[in-house]
Amino acid sequence: MHTSVQHKMASIDLEKVRVVVVGDSGVGKSSLVHLICRGHPNPSPGWTIGAAVDVKIHEYKEGTPAQKSYFVECWDISGSVNHANSRHIFYNPVNGIILVHDLTNRKSHTNLRLWLSEVLNRESAYGSTKTRSSASEYDPEQFAGTRIPVLVIGTKHDQLDSSRQGTLQTSVIAEECGADEINLDCTQARHVAPGSTNAVKLSRFFDKVIERRFFSRDSSQQPIGSPTEKRRSFTPQYMKSLHTD
Amino acid sequence: MAFFLDSFVMFTTQILFFLGGWIFFMRQLFKNYEVRHVIVQLVFSATFALSCTLFELIIFEILGVLNTNSRLFHWKFDLYAILFILIVILPFYVAWFIFTNIRIVQNRHLTFPLTLGAWLVFVYFFWKLGDPFPILSRKHGIFSMEQVMSRIGVIGVTIIAVLSGFGAVNCPYTYMAYFVRDVSDADIQAHDRKLLQVMDMILTKKKRILLIERDQLQQASSNRKQASGIWGMLKSVATSSGGANLGQLQQEVAGYEELSRQLFLELVDLNSTKERIEYSKTLKGKYFNIMGYVFSMYCLWKIVICTINIIFDRVGKTDPVTKGVEIAVHWLGIEFDVTFWSQHVSFILVGIIIVTSIRGLLIKLTKFFYTMSSSKSSNVIVLLLAQTMGMYFVSSVLLMRMNMPPQYRMIITEVLGDLQFNFYHRWFDVIFLISALSSIAFHYLAHKQTGEKPVYT
C-alpha cells in the first residue's frame, strides 16, 4: 500500500526515450502504434494529421535484477506528401526509428531509404525548402555515425496473396542497417502477444534504444568521422554483436 | 499509296503518344504504388494516346498536312475508338475492380455477371442523361454517333467549365504576390514551439494515465490477496477517485490532440507561404508574378464576356483569329495576306490552347490522385481519372470549333455529326460563370477566416 501511494504522489518519475514511426501514407503506422502501445487493435483508424503520440511503459532488461521501467514515446508521423515541409520539427531528438512499409506495395519499401535520410538529415531541414525528393539518398556511413537503432516493420501481412506470403524476402534496408525485421497484421492482437517472436523482437529493439540512449554515454562522445567510427561503418554486424541477450 | 503513307505516319505518332502516357503513368501517377494489373496502365495510356491524336488531327487540319480523305478516315477511326473505350471498356473495368476490392463478393464466379449488370446500369443512366437537354432532333437513330457524342459532350463540357472556372480564379490568387501574407522566421519558430509544447502536454497526460492505470491494476491484484475491511473500503475510495481523474485526463488529451492537429495545419500553411515568398524573389518567381497579372486580366475579361453572352443571349459567331485580323485590317490599316496569316495564327493559338489544357489537366489529375488514393483504391481512381481525361479531351475538341476560322470548322462539324454546337457554348458559359463565382466566394471566405485569426505571436 505504501508504494502505491508513493506512485500516485510522484507524477512522472520514469525516464523516457523517443521513437519515431515513419513510412508512406496509408501503410498502417497509426494502427501499428495503437497495437504496440495499447495491446489491442484500433477498430477505426483515422487519417493522421501532423503527429500522433502514444506512450508505453517498457520494462528494460525484464526478468533480470537490473529491471527498470521506462516510458517509450511513439511518435507516429504523418506520411502525407502535402505535410512534408513541416515534419522536421518532430525529428529532434530521436532515439529510435521504426520504418513501416506495406507488404502489398513494394514501392513503400523502396521509399524507406528516403524516409531514413529525411529523419537523419533533420538538422539541415530547419528553415530550408528541402523536400524529401531533393534530400540526398541514404548514406550508410552517415547512418553508422549516428548509430540510432532501427526496426523495419511490414504491415498488412494478411492481405498478401498466399503465393507471395511464401516468397517474402528479407528487407534490403533492414540488412543494410543491421536492423531487425517484423512482418505482421495490425488488426490482430495475437501478432504482438507477449511471448511471440514479434513481441520479443520489439522488446529487444526498445532495450537497444534505451541502452543506446542512457548507457552508451562514453562511446557516443566520439566525434563522427573519426577513424574508429569509419572502421565500424564497414561492419554493421558489429552493432548486433554489441547487444547480448 | 498516299493513304498508306499517311496511316503509317498517324500510327507512328500514336505509338509515341502511347509511350508518353505510359511513362507519365509510371513516373508521376503510380510513383508510390506497385502496378499489379497491367490492363490499367494499358487503358490509361491508350486513352491518352487517342486524345492526343485527336488534337494532332486538328493541327494537321489547319496546316493542311496529309491527304483529306485519310484525315477523315483517321478522324472517324479515332473517334469511334475513344468512344468505345469511354463507354464500354472503362466503366466495365471500374466496376470490375470495385467488385474485386469489396470483400462481400466471395464467389469469384459472381464478379463477371455483377460487373456486366453494373455496366448495363451505367449505360441506362448515360442514356437518361440526354433527356433534360435540348441536344438533338428526333431524326437521328438510336446508335448513331450523335447520340453518344452529345451525351459525352454534356459531361465533358461541364468538367471543362468547372475546372476552367476554378482555375481562372485560383491562378491569379496563387501567382500574384499581392495576395501573399507576410510571414517571418520568428513567426514560424514561435509556432513550432507552441506545437511542440502541446505535444509535450499530450505526452505528460498520457503518461499520467498510464501510471494511474498501472496503479489500478496493482491495486486490483493486491485487493484480491488482502481481506476486506476498513482498509479495503479506504483503498476502494482511493481507486475510484483515480478513475474519475482518468476520465477527465482522457478528455483533456482528446482536446489537446485536436489542438495539435490544428496547429500543425497552420504550421504547414505558414511554411508554404514562406516558400512562396522565397520563390517570388527569384527570377522565375518574378516572371510568374507578371504572368499572374496578365492571366488575371484575361480571367476577368473572360468572366465579363461570359456574363455578357448570357445576358444578351448571343453566342460568339466569329473566332478570335478572324476577329483579330478584321480589327488589324479595318482599324489599324495593316495590309497583309489574310488567309496566310490566319492559318498560322490559328495554328499557334490552337496549339497553345491544346498544350496548356493537356498539361493543366495532367497536373490536376496528379494532385487529385495523390490526395485521394490509397493502395487499395489506386486502380479504380486511375481508371476514373482516365475516363475524366477522355471526356475532357473529346469535349475540348468540340469547344475548340469556336476558336477556329470557318474553313477549318468543317471537318469537326462533319465528323462529330450534326450537334447543337451553340448549346454547348452556352452551357459552357453558364457553368464557367457559376464555377468562377463560387470559387471567388470560397477564397473570400477562407481568406477572411485566416485573417481574423490572431497574428502568430
Side-chain angles (χ1 to χ4, degrees):
Chain A
M1 187 193 89
H2 200 61
T3 42
S4 61
V5 171
Q6 255 181 352
H7 272 240
K8 229 185 300 278
M9 296 212 302
S11 51
I12 315 295
D13 54 353
L14 302 178
E15 296 196 26
K16 65 171 170 114
V17 289
R18 196 190 229 185
V19 169
V20 156
V21 180
V22 291
D24 276 354
S25 178
V27 295
K29 302 182 290 292
S30 306
S31 309
L32 179 72
V33 167
H34 194 273
L35 187 61
I36 291 177
C37 295
R38 311 273 177 97
H40 59 92
N42 190 356
S44 54
W47 197 48
T48 319
I49 297 180
V53 286
D54 218 342
V55 199
K56 177 186 162 71
I57 296 184
H58 177 72
E59 304 294 338
Y60 176 58
K61 294 223 164 131
E62 190 160 15
T64 67
Q67 175 173 337
K68 191 174 172 204
S69 302
Y70 284 90
F71 277 128
V72 175
E73 299 174 0
C74 295
W75 289 61
D76 159 30
I77 312 277
S78 150
S80 162
V81 183
N82 305 331
H83 298 158
N85 58 4
S86 309
R87 278 198 291 250
H88 56 90
I89 61 169
F90 299 126
Y91 296 153
N92 193 6
V94 161
N95 305 124
I97 304 179
I98 296 185
L99 297 172
V100 187
H101 66 103
D102 185 347
L103 286 169
T104 60
N105 179 3
R106 283 205 193 100
K107 289 261 175 74
S108 67
H109 180 253
T110 356
N111 286 340
L112 287 182
R113 270 176 223 275
L114 296 170
W115 280 108
L116 195 55
S117 72
E118 178 177 330
V119 176
L120 293 177
N121 290 335
R122 63 192 184 278
E123 310 63 65
S124 56
Y126 205 95
S128 80
T129 50
K130 244 198 243 191
T131 57
R132 206 175 76 190
S133 51
S134 64
S136 52
E137 280 279 323
Y138 150 75
D139 177 15
E141 288 210 3
Q142 180 192 30
F143 172 72
T146 53
R147 299 177 65 194
I148 300 177
V150 171
L151 179 67
V152 176
I153 298 189
T155 55
K156 307 195 190 173
H157 187 79
D158 54 316
Q159 287 177 25
L160 277 182
D161 308 324
S162 45
S163 54
R164 278 176 70 170
Q165 266 184 11
T167 56
L168 270 182
Q169 301 158 322
T170 36
S171 153
V172 174
I173 302 203
E175 278 175 14
E176 284 180 15
C177 307
D180 257 339
E181 196 193 345
I182 296 180
N183 292 328
L184 47 69
D185 168 18
C186 296
T187 60
Q188 303 261 8
R190 62 181 169 84
H191 279 247
V192 289
S196 63
T197 335
N198 295 338
V200 167
K201 285 186 185 171
L202 260 176
S203 140
R204 209 163 55 186
F205 170 69
F206 288 140
D207 279 349
K208 211 153 98 175
V209 171
I210 293 173
E211 189 176 308
R212 203 59 61 81
R213 166 84 176 87
F214 290 112
F215 298 114
S216 320
R217 286 300 167 82
D218 43 334
S219 45
S220 69
Q221 294 301 337
Q222 270 185 3
I224 300 172
S226 68
T228 41
E229 286 288 341
K230 281 234 163 37
R231 229 183 295 131
R232 283 214 195 97
S233 69
F234 288 111
T235 53
Q237 304 307 318
Y238 181 76
M239 280 189 275
K240 263 194 177 151
S241 64
L242 250 186
H243 187 93
T244 51
D245 284 286
Chain B
M1 192 53 218
F3 178 70
F4 286 118
L5 198 62
D6 295 341
S7 306
F8 178 73
V9 169
M10 287 305 303
F11 282 127
T12 322
T13 49
Q14 269 178 344
I15 290 181
L16 281 174
F17 289 136
F18 186 82
L19 285 174
W22 189 275
I23 293 176
F24 171 74
F25 186 88
M26 294 297 322
R27 292 281 173 81
Q28 290 280 88
L29 279 186
F30 257 44
K31 204 163 60 169
N32 288 328
Y33 298 105
E34 203 185 318
V35 180
R36 303 233 250 131
H37 299 102
V38 189
I39 186 78
V40 173
Q41 207 172 357
L42 274 174
V43 171
F44 183 87
S45 311
T47 319
F48 182 77
L50 285 171
S51 316
C52 289
T53 323
L54 279 179
F55 288 134
E56 188 195 10
L57 281 170
I58 294 185
I59 298 277
F60 282 172
E61 194 64 39
I62 295 178
L63 288 181
V65 175
L66 300 187
N67 196 1
T68 319
N69 287 331
S70 43
R71 276 205 305 260
L72 193 62
F73 168 77
H74 279 283
W75 265 110
K76 290 223 181 270
F77 174 73
D78 254 349
L79 216 51
Y80 279 119
I82 202 170
L83 288 181
F84 181 71
I85 290 186
L86 283 180
I87 308 219
V88 178
I89 297 190
L90 275 174
F92 183 80
Y93 273 111
V94 166
W96 174 269
F97 279 115
I98 290 181
F99 284 129
T100 47
N101 268 342
I102 299 178
R103 306 260 185 109
I104 305 172
V105 185
Q106 294 294 344
N107 192 2
R108 283 303 160 101
H109 297 292
L110 268 182
T111 330
F112 185 73
L114 263 177
T115 319
L116 211 55
W119 181 74
L120 287 171
V121 170
F122 166 79
V123 167
Y124 174 72
F125 278 115
F126 185 71
W127 200 255
K128 275 283 163 205
L129 190 66
D131 287 345
F133 297 107
I135 305 183
L136 33 81
S137 43
R138 289 291 121 199
K139 63 181 181 204
H140 294 119
I142 292 277
F143 285 123
S144 64
M145 169 74 75
E146 283 84 5
Q147 298 273 4
V148 174
M149 220 22 241
S150 57
R151 283 166 176 79
I152 288 197
V154 169
I155 303 176
V157 167
T158 316
I159 298 176
I160 296 181
V162 165
L163 288 179
S164 307
F166 182 71
V169 173
N170 205 33
C171 185
Y173 185 74
T174 322
Y175 284 128
M176 277 169 43
Y178 173 74
F179 289 113
V180 177
R181 305 189 305 276
D182 207 16
V183 167
S184 69
D185 273 340
D187 290 338
I188 295 187
Q189 278 183 17
H191 213 81
D192 277 350
R193 255 180 281 134
K194 215 158 72 164
L195 177 57
L196 288 175
Q197 269 173 4
V198 171
M199 303 302 279
D200 274 333
M201 285 297 286
I202 297 177
L203 278 170
T204 316
K205 294 203 186 292
K206 284 205 167 171
K207 286 172 187 168
R208 207 167 280 167
I209 292 178
L210 271 184
L211 285 174
I212 293 180
E213 281 175 350
R214 190 168 81 157
D215 290 341
Q216 281 183 342
L217 271 174
Q218 286 179 350
Q219 286 280 3
S221 58
S222 59
N223 267 347
R224 279 184 236 114
K225 293 179 199 147
Q226 284 194 355
S228 56
I230 308 259
W231 287 131
M233 275 199 305
L234 279 176
K235 265 186 277 179
S236 59
V237 164
T239 40
S240 64
S241 72
N245 223 3
L246 207 61
Q248 190 192 2
L249 274 177
Q250 275 166 346
Q251 261 189 335
E252 286 174 15
V253 162
Y256 275 115
E257 278 179 339
E258 188 56 46
L259 180 62
S260 79
R261 281 192 276 269
Q262 217 178 329
L263 283 177
F264 183 78
L265 285 177
E266 282 174 24
L267 187 64
V268 168
D269 200 29
L270 279 180
N271 276 324
S272 317
T273 318
K274 183 158 167 286
E275 281 170 19
R276 262 179 70 184
I277 294 178
E278 281 181 14
Y279 182 72
S280 70
K281 291 190 186 131
T282 65
L283 207 61
K284 235 172 132 182
K286 287 202 180 97
Y287 165 73
F288 275 115
N289 192 24
I290 299 177
M291 293 305 290
Y293 279 109
V294 168
F295 203 69
S296 51
M297 290 296 123
Y298 169 74
C299 295
L300 264 168
W301 175 78
K302 195 120 200 231
I303 295 181
V304 167
I305 286 284
C306 277
T307 327
I308 293 181
N309 278 346
I310 294 176
I311 295 180
F312 292 115
D313 195 29
R314 67 156 207 183
V315 183
K317 288 281 190 302
T318 49
D319 55 295
V321 179
T322 321
K323 214 186 200 126
V325 167
E326 274 176 18
I327 294 177
V329 168
H330 289 140
W331 291 9
L332 302 179
I334 303 177
E335 302 276 337
F336 55 85
D337 188 1
V338 175
T339 42
F340 175 75
W341 279 107
S342 77
Q343 183 189 31
H344 280 71
V345 171
S346 53
F347 161 68
I348 294 177
L349 183 71
V350 167
I352 292 179
I353 293 179
I354 290 175
V355 168
T356 44
S357 70
I358 292 182
R359 187 174 164 276
L361 183 72
L362 287 182
I363 290 177
K364 286 195 190 99
L365 290 185
T366 319
K367 252 193 242 165
F368 182 77
F369 185 71
Y370 283 158
T371 358
M372 300 270 22
S373 70
S374 69
S375 58
K376 269 180 96 175
S377 62
S378 54
N379 285 327
V380 173
I381 293 189
V382 156
L383 288 176
L384 287 174
L385 289 183
Q387 181 123 14
T388 314
M389 179 174 74
M391 290 199 189
Y392 185 98
F393 286 143
V394 167
S395 316
S396 3
V397 167
L398 210 157
L399 288 179
M400 204 170 297
R401 196 180 147 272
M402 194 179 80
N403 282 328
M404 308 195 322
Q407 62 261 39
Y408 306 123
R409 282 187 207 176
M410 259 175 3
I411 186 95
I412 298 188
T413 325
E414 194 176 333
V415 170
L416 292 185
D418 190 16
L419 298 177
Q420 303 267 53
F421 288 104
N422 293 341
F423 162 73
Y424 288 108
H425 291 307
R426 172 55 39 80
W427 182 247
F428 176 86
D429 285 338
V430 170
I431 303 287
F432 177 84
L433 206 60
I434 296 179
S435 163
L437 289 178
S438 33
S439 42
I440 288 180
F442 169 77
H443 272 295
Y444 177 69
L445 283 174
H447 198 236
K448 206 169 81 153
Q449 212 176 39
T450 51
E452 273 175 0
K453 283 220 172 76
V455 181
Y456 310 95
T457 46

